[in-house]
Amino acid sequence: MTDQQPDSTHFGFKTVKQTEKVSLVANVFHSVAAKYDLMNDVMSMGIHRLWKRFTIDCSGVRPGHQVLDLAGGTGDITALFSKRVGPTGKVILADINESMLNVGRDKLRDLGLVNNIDYVQANAEALPFADNSFDIISIGFGLRNVTDKDAALRSMFRVLKPGGRLLVLEFSKPEYEWLSKVYDLYSFKLLPAIGGLVANDKESYQYLAESIRMHPDQDTLKQMMETAGFEHVSYHNLTGGIVALHKGYKF
């Protein structure tokens, strides 16, 4: 990452004022919300569904648990948690973006998932929940879009119950040089082109590709979680490190 001024941050490869990033990211997700699920399937050839199921399998979720699916977007992870926590549990789908939240609410209601899910528009950096509220917090493909990731991790730590766990599913750094080169070609040539064809939005998918490259690598994110207070932090590389699942506990 390049050096930046204290009041600036990254929006993809651009340097912008911290106060501007939230609205810039919001515009991206307002733009992509309607075609988000379709693009996920096209971009990953459906593999994103396996990454999300793996996250649930690593969560230790049980009936009756209170779960926060942060940056839950269109609700894929919320749906999986909802089925696991059962009628005595609760899943809160939280997202900063109203358009994504609306798409997620409509999709989950169409699936008949209504009784144990609530929806909250919330900023990850200042979560509007009481201390020690959740058994599990997940954030899937959302942390890289947060302006102050350290503040967000501290906020997650605060609202997690003692003994609870955080799961961060995010794009990361490929483990192999050859894979990194192929991934760069795909991300910066094919991905924006697909975004233009399928979603009529090349620019948003250019940003999403750039945001992945600016996100901390596996070991850096592990250290950030530890600094925020999480213990026994570990990560598991998926698809050669293109995606990584980080897990940490609050004791």
Side-chain angles (χ1 to χ4, degrees), residues 75-144:
D76 284 350
I77 292 175
T78 292
L80 295 171
F81 272 129
S82 172
K83 296 169 184 176
R84 299 282 188 99
V85 302
T88 60
K90 177 72 70 175
V91 184
I92 293 180
L93 194 168
D95 202 291
I96 195 172
N97 189 276
E98 183 180 10
S99 296
M100 295 289 284
L101 204 59
N102 288 339
V103 171
R105 181 189 293 112
D106 290 345
K107 183 172 78 174
L108 295 179
R109 287 177 176 174
D110 287 346
L111 292 171
L113 300 173
V114 295
N115 293 325
N116 61 358
I117 300 174
D118 287 337
Y119 302 87
V120 176
Q121 188 171 359
N123 187 332
E125 298 173 27
L127 293 170
F129 307 110
D131 295 359
N132 308 319
S133 293
F134 299 100
D135 298 286
I136 297 165
I137 299 175
S138 67
I139 178 166
F141 305 110
L143 186 61
R144 74 181 187 282

Side-chain angles (χ1 to χ4, degrees), residues 58 68 108 139 170 175 184 189:
C58 292
L68 173 62
L108 295 179
I139 178 166
E170 189 55 89
E175 298 177 89
D184 281 346
K189 298 297 184 183

Side-chain angles (χ1 to χ4, degrees), residues 59-66 84-86 89 136 165:
S59 70
V61 64
R62 299 195 302 273
H65 270 173
Q66 304 294 306
R84 299 282 188 99
V85 302
I136 297 165
R165 70 184 76 184

